Amino acid sequence: MEKEKQGKKSLKWLWITIALVVVAGIGVWCGINASTAKEGVNSIFGISSLLFGLFVVTVLGYLLGRITIKGVNLGTAGVFLVAILFGYLCTLIPSDLPILSVLRLEAGKGNTGYYKSVIQNVGLVMFVGSVGFIAGPKFFKDLAKNFKTYILMGIVIILVGTAIAVLFTFISPYGSDFWSGILSGALTSTPGYSAAGEAVELKGMTDTMVTIGHAIAYPFGVIGVVLFVQLLPKFIKADMNYERSLLRVDFIEEEKKTTKKLFKCDDFGFTALGLAIVAGLIVGGIKIPLFAGAVFSLGTTGGVLIMCLVFGHFGRIGKLSLEIPESTLKCLKELGLMLFLIGAGVDGGVNLVSAIGGDVGIVAWGFIGGAVMTIAPMIVGFFLAKYLLKLPLLNNLGSITGGMTSTPALGTLIKTAGTDDVAGAYASTYPIALVLIVLACNLMIGLI
């Protein structure tokens, strides 16, 4: 045994020595070539700064999101925070700094536009489209059957949050663009954030304030809901065994009847997703004049979401199958969310300092307003579900996580409750809340 341990130890140091020699060799080679190259060190590295930045943020973002403190973590939200920091730090890189200068970003120049126009938008349609197809088969049925319970919860939670956002718009020195970003961040709604940005651009303005508002409110929006579903059962001293016995499992997954005659273009369902997104882009581009020059449009977010809900609901066009495998949808949902947050976060980070300047008040206003928009809807929703709708505690909390569109909080609630059945209430409330937050952010910009 001792000989084996010594052998393994010797082998370990051998590999370390080889690695150090290789690294030293690469360093010497780079130094020699840099001294003779006309363009300096950067000529040695054929780095695609866009791809490099994209995956650096991916790695660091997920590592940050994975850090768990007393059962709480940021999850994918970590990607957004790292993207903002990355965008900001890249504006500080001197243009003549060897190697790192390829990562330099400037507002409105170079790769900054690609982060916003390409990465962000591709991620958006992937995320929103997959959410629509996931919710589509049950959305309209639930809307008709459960209006007085989970659907009402979603409506009330979004209305309370929106009312607070409108109030802060009138009492603060900041406009509806900033507070719509705060609202989307407080309710952790990526589609709401995107809808607000599109509505602002429709009015001929930049979406910088929307991004800043979302960035300020989003961290507390994630952590606040996670803590709420963890701490409330402890605060009211709930007996979880008893609460599990009261849990209503109203939504048992129905077996899908597949017809062999349906034609599938591809096994992954990309054709169906592409058709739904194209239809959604057309619907989202329709502009409806309201009054006083205001124009309403569903935009990319609302149009794609609604059409994917419709396509997901029907599941076919004639003999053409529109079904997408669940594994594909889950992957596209996470990948799309990641790309969207990176694109939006980097662009926001680049514009962050110039937008805020020396205005510390914007951070204070945003944090306080965002915290109120996160906490108040959950409290109102809890008492509504408990005393008016008579929902058991776990159904109550599941519906709140859906109304707040908080997937991380659902994961925490499942662990707290000790059962996956709480996901039924979440799934029933989430789609209506998602649609309403998109409309609320859009209308706030268009009418205020």
Side-chain angles (χ1 to χ4, degrees):
M1 291 294 291
E2 291 183 2
K3 290 183 178 180
E4 288 182 8
K5 289 182 180 179
Q6 289 177 355
K8 288 181 179 179
K9 191 173 182 181
S10 300
L11 188 61
K12 174 183 174 182
W13 282 108
L14 175 62
W15 282 114
I16 292 175
T17 303
I18 292 173
L20 290 174
V21 170
V22 170
V23 170
I26 292 173
V28 171
W29 177 80
C30 288
I32 294 172
N33 282 275
S35 63
T36 58
K38 294 180 180 180
E39 299 166 352
V41 178
N42 287 337
S43 65
I44 303 167
F45 297 93
I47 295 175
S48 170
S49 57
L50 182 66
L51 288 177
F52 187 79
L54 173 65
F55 289 105
V56 164
V57 173
T58 298
V59 173
L60 296 179
Y62 275 103
L63 285 174
L64 175 63
R66 194 71 179 89
I67 297 173
T68 303
I69 301 174
K70 295 185 177 181
V72 179
N73 61 55
L74 290 172
T76 314
V79 173
F80 186 62
L81 298 181
V82 169
I84 291 174
L85 180 62
F86 178 83
Y88 166 65
L89 291 177
C90 285
T91 63
L92 305 180
I93 298 174
S95 58
D96 58 350
L97 183 66
I99 302 177
L100 291 179
S101 62
V102 298
L103 297 176
R104 177 178 170 79
L105 295 174
E106 296 181 56
K109 296 181 180 179
N111 285 333
T112 306
Y114 290 107
Y115 277 107
K116 181 176 176 58
S117 62
V118 180
I119 293 176
Q120 178 177 332
N121 287 330
V122 170
L124 170 67
V125 296
M126 287 171 61
F127 172 71
V128 175
S130 58
V131 167
F133 270 96
I134 290 170
K138 291 166 41 176
F139 176 72
F140 296 102
K141 187 185 297 183
D142 291 349
L143 189 65
K145 181 180 178 182
N146 301 288
F147 183 80
K148 293 182 179 179
T149 52
Y150 301 114
I151 304 304
L152 182 59
M153 280 285 288
I155 293 173
V156 169
I157 286 173
I158 299 302
L159 282 180
V160 171
T162 304
I164 295 170
V166 171
L167 175 63
F168 272 93
T169 302
F170 287 115
I171 67 174
S172 76
Y174 306 103
S176 59
D177 53 348
F178 175 69
W179 288 108
S180 62
I182 292 289
L183 176 63
S184 67
L187 299 181
T188 64
S189 175
T190 301
Y193 166 44
S194 174
E198 289 179 345
V200 166
E201 292 177 348
L202 194 63
K203 294 180 71 172
M205 303 160 58
T206 65
D207 62 352
T208 302
M209 292 299 287
V210 176
T211 299
I212 291 173
H214 189 82
I216 292 172
Y218 194 90
F220 186 85
V222 173
I223 296 171
V225 188
V226 168
L227 290 177
F228 186 85
V229 299
Q230 280 183 310
L231 298 179
L232 184 68
K234 296 179 181 178
F235 181 75
I236 64 176
K237 297 180 180 179
D239 181 346
M240 298 310 292
N241 289 326
Y242 175 70
E243 295 298 338
R244 277 192 291 271
S245 69
L246 297 178
L247 182 62
R248 301 177 192 169
V249 187
D250 297 321
F251 303 98
I252 300 173
E253 191 72 28
E254 297 178 2
E255 292 185 5
K256 295 181 179 180
K257 296 181 180 179
T258 57
T259 305
K260 294 182 179 179
K261 294 181 180 179
L262 289 181
F263 173 72
K264 285 187 177 183
C265 289
D266 64 282
D267 293 333
F268 295 100
F270 292 148
T271 305
L273 181 64
L275 284 172
I277 289 175
V278 169
L281 292 174
I282 294 172
V283 171
I286 298 173
K287 296 178 176 61
I288 303 173
L290 299 175
F291 54 85
V295 176
F296 174 75
S297 171
L298 287 172
T300 301
T301 306
V304 171
L305 176 61
I306 288 176
M307 291 311 299
C308 286
L309 283 169
V310 172
F311 275 51
H313 172 73
F314 289 104
R316 59 186 292 179
I317 298 178
K319 297 292 184 179
L320 177 63
S321 173
L322 297 178
E323 291 186 1
I324 303 178
E326 184 181 355
S327 57
T328 299
L329 291 174
K330 285 183 177 180
C331 180
L332 289 177
K333 179 173 177 282
E334 183 65 20
L335 177 61
L337 179 59
M338 181 198 79
L339 292 175
F340 177 84
L341 293 178
I342 290 175
V346 170
D347 180 69
V350 170
N351 294 285
L352 188 62
V353 177
S354 60
I356 294 179
D359 188 4
V360 180
I362 192 172
V363 179
W365 273 102
F367 181 80
I368 294 171
V372 174
M373 288 178 218
T374 297
I375 296 170
M378 290 192 294
I379 294 175
V380 172
F382 173 74
F383 284 108
L384 171 71
K386 180 177 176 64
Y387 294 107
L388 182 62
L389 302 177
K390 307 296 183 182
L391 286 178
L393 177 63
L394 295 180
N395 291 94
N396 187 336
L397 294 177
S399 185
I400 287 173
T401 61
M404 298 295 291
T405 67
S406 179
T407 304
L410 173 63
T412 301
L413 179 59
I414 289 173
K415 293 178 182 178
T416 302
T419 174
D420 292 332
D421 291 339
V422 292
Y426 168 90
S428 302
T429 313
Y430 179 87
I432 188 65
L434 204 63
V435 172
L436 288 178
I437 189 62
V438 167
L439 295 177
C441 289
N442 207 318
L443 289 173
M444 271 189 67
I445 300 295
L447 301 179
I448 300 178

